[in-house]
Amino acid sequence: MTDPLEPERRSGVDRRQTDRRRVRSHAEPERRSGRDRRVVEARREADQVSVDSISLGRRLRQPRTILSLAIPIILLVLIFRVALNVDVNELADGIGRSNKLLILAGFVVFYLGFPLRGFRWVLLLRGTGFRLRTRDATEIIFLSWLVNCLVPAKLGDLYRAYLLKINSPVSLSRTVGTVFIERILDLFAIAVLGLAAGFWSFRNGLPGEIQVVAAIGVAVIVLLALGLLTLRNFGRRILVRLPIPHRALELYDRFEEGVFGAVGIRALPRLVVITGLIWATEALRLYLVVQALNFPGVQLGLSGAVFVALIGSLLTAVPLAPAGLGVVDLGMAGILIAAYGTTLSQATTIVLVDRTISVFSIIVLGSIAYAVSSKRRGAGLTGPVGPDPSGSPA
């Protein structure tokens, strides 16, 4: 005789088995998500940058930072005033007789370069699959230039990646990759435009000093091309053979994504045009300064302004002082005297006014921007950020 409770018992067993299966099925995703969380946390930890190591305020309080600012200024004063006996009254008279509207125009042209730099960085980040507004990119770049004007060794580039990291979910190492390829684009532009301007400016015959600079420019282009080729084809193979931790390989992979993912075939023409416009603002600033001072017998021309401005920008890469202080000033003055026949006083005045616009105005205006900016506190960006639907996820 069939027990009428048997179906209920079986259904009870089935229910308990079903419940256990449900518990297991819910627990497995939790275990998987736990593993995923640990992986994400490990990646975040790998990307984490110490606030103390990047903090601008902390850096400025360090004695070596103060010395890196003070020593080049003292040396410049000693070189120009004591060793070279530059007449301060002559400097003041040259600046006083200058066309202030043209100097203002040079100031405006120089600052037009920042939105262009911001837009270029937006395009580079978009190539890696991350979207960012030009306004936010421009503000972050401007703050990073303030750091480069106050702290040596181009720490502003790392500070830029740090600011984006604390204000968005983007990978730090990938962001550093975009900053790196941006610098490569700049160096290519400086070398190519500088060579073209030098040959045009001295088409009747290159002085010996300019021939040396031209040879350095060619060497820079060749070395950059070889470096990128090696990085693209052999970078990871070399690192795999080295006794380095797996975390370092992960960081390198994301850095390489930032470097080569940022520059695609479709985006490259726009990046080239924008980079050219950026460096045109640098050259036009110096040209307007020379025109404003209007020294008799000084015929720099637009090609000469391009050449001297790009040489000065190239010298900022020397990591001895903030914004290449001292090295850039002496280099630009030397080129103006040796290649363009300016007097020591004229060259010093040109460099002083130009560097006031390109360095000291950034220290003043950048300090104001730093004081009011919410990005240094990681308060977020003004627009939507995240993976670009048209690109790969960041």
Side-chain angles (χ1 to χ4, degrees):
M1 185 176 177
T2 305
D3 187 351
L5 296 179
E6 185 65 22
E8 292 185 11
R9 292 192 193 100
R10 283 200 302 271
S11 63
V13 171
D14 291 341
R15 281 197 301 272
R16 286 192 294 273
Q17 290 175 344
T18 301
D19 291 341
R20 282 195 294 271
R21 283 196 297 269
R22 285 176 179 170
V23 169
R24 283 197 301 271
S25 65
H26 285 296
E28 183 62 27
E30 290 181 6
R31 284 194 292 270
R32 287 199 301 269
S33 64
R35 286 195 298 270
D36 292 341
R37 281 197 300 271
R38 286 192 293 273
V39 170
V40 171
E41 288 171 1
R43 288 181 178 176
R44 285 178 180 171
E45 184 179 323
D47 265 344
Q48 186 64 37
V49 175
S50 168
V51 176
D52 287 341
S53 66
I54 299 295
S55 170
L56 180 57
R58 182 181 177 87
R59 284 278 176 176
L60 291 179
R61 290 192 297 269
Q62 293 179 351
R64 62 182 178 182
T65 300
I66 297 172
L67 289 175
S68 70
L69 278 169
I71 290 177
I73 293 175
I74 294 172
L75 287 177
L76 280 175
V77 172
L78 292 175
I79 290 172
F80 283 102
R81 185 68 186 94
V82 178
L84 300 177
N85 196 27
V86 174
D87 190 340
V88 176
N89 293 325
E90 193 174 344
L91 289 180
D93 183 60
I95 296 173
R97 289 186 289 102
S98 64
N99 187 324
K100 305 304 186 296
L101 287 178
L102 286 179
I103 291 180
L104 178 61
F107 177 88
V108 172
V109 165
F110 171 66
Y111 276 86
L112 286 176
F114 284 100
L116 289 172
R117 293 178 188 276
F119 182 58
R120 182 178 63 175
W121 194 32
V122 166
L123 293 179
L124 291 171
L125 287 169
R126 188 180 300 169
T128 68
F130 190 82
R131 53 181 177 160
L132 180 68
R133 293 183 64 180
T134 302
R135 173 185 170 184
D136 291 320
T138 302
E139 182 181 346
I140 289 174
I141 287 176
F142 189 57
L143 293 175
S144 74
W145 273 53
L146 169 66
V147 175
N148 277 335
C149 289
L150 295 174
V151 182
K154 287 287 186 181
L155 188 68
D157 291 344
L158 182 58
Y159 187 70
R160 190 207 307 190
Y162 163 75
L163 284 180
L164 185 59
K165 173 65 180 175
I166 64 173
N167 285 281
S168 72
V170 71
S171 163
L172 178 70
S173 49
R174 187 176 299 182
T175 304
V176 171
T178 64
V179 175
F180 174 79
I181 196 63
E182 180 184 285
R183 289 303 182 195
I184 295 296
L185 287 172
D186 284 337
L187 287 174
F188 268 117
I190 289 172
V192 173
L193 294 176
L195 285 173
F199 279 107
W200 179 260
S201 185
F202 304 102
R203 53 191 178 276
N204 295 325
L206 286 175
E209 301 88 349
I210 306 304
Q211 290 180 20
V212 173
V213 173
I216 293 174
V218 172
V220 167
I221 294 176
V222 172
L223 290 175
L224 286 176
L226 290 175
L228 286 175
L229 184 65
T230 302
L231 184 66
R232 183 70 181 91
N233 295 288
F234 306 106
R236 199 178 196 284
R237 297 180 192 178
I238 295 172
L239 289 180
V240 167
R241 290 182 172 86
L242 297 177
I244 60 176
H246 181 69
R247 180 178 297 174
L249 283 176
E250 287 186 351
L251 289 173
Y252 173 79
D253 287 339
R254 275 173 282 172
F255 171 78
E256 189 180 271
E257 287 174 7
V259 171
F260 297 106
V263 182
I265 298 299
R266 294 175 61 185
L268 188 58
R270 274 198 298 179
L271 290 171
V272 169
V273 171
I274 294 169
T275 301
L277 291 174
I278 288 169
W279 289 105
T281 63
E282 295 277 335
L284 190 55
R285 177 199 72 227
L286 179 59
Y287 175 77
L288 290 170
V289 166
V290 174
Q291 293 300 111
L293 292 170
N294 194 27
F295 289 127
V298 176
Q299 299 294 329
L300 193 61
L302 190 56
S303 62
V306 172
F307 183 75
V308 176
L310 293 180
I311 292 297
S313 297
L314 186 61
L315 290 174
T316 61
V318 179
L320 298 178
L325 197 61
V327 177
V328 174
D329 308 274
L330 291 173
M332 289 179 66
I335 291 290
L336 287 169
I337 295 170
Y340 294 95
T342 64
T343 66
L344 176 60
S345 177
Q346 290 170 344
T348 305
T349 307
I350 292 170
V351 172
L352 178 62
V353 175
D354 185 70
R355 295 283 277 172
T356 297
I357 295 173
S358 63
V359 177
F360 294 106
S361 73
I362 288 179
I363 293 176
V364 175
L365 298 179
S367 298
I368 297 172
Y370 180 82
V372 302
S373 176
S374 60
K375 290 180 177 57
R376 66 184 177 88
R377 297 185 293 271
L381 306 173
T382 60
V385 296
D388 190 335
S390 62
S392 59

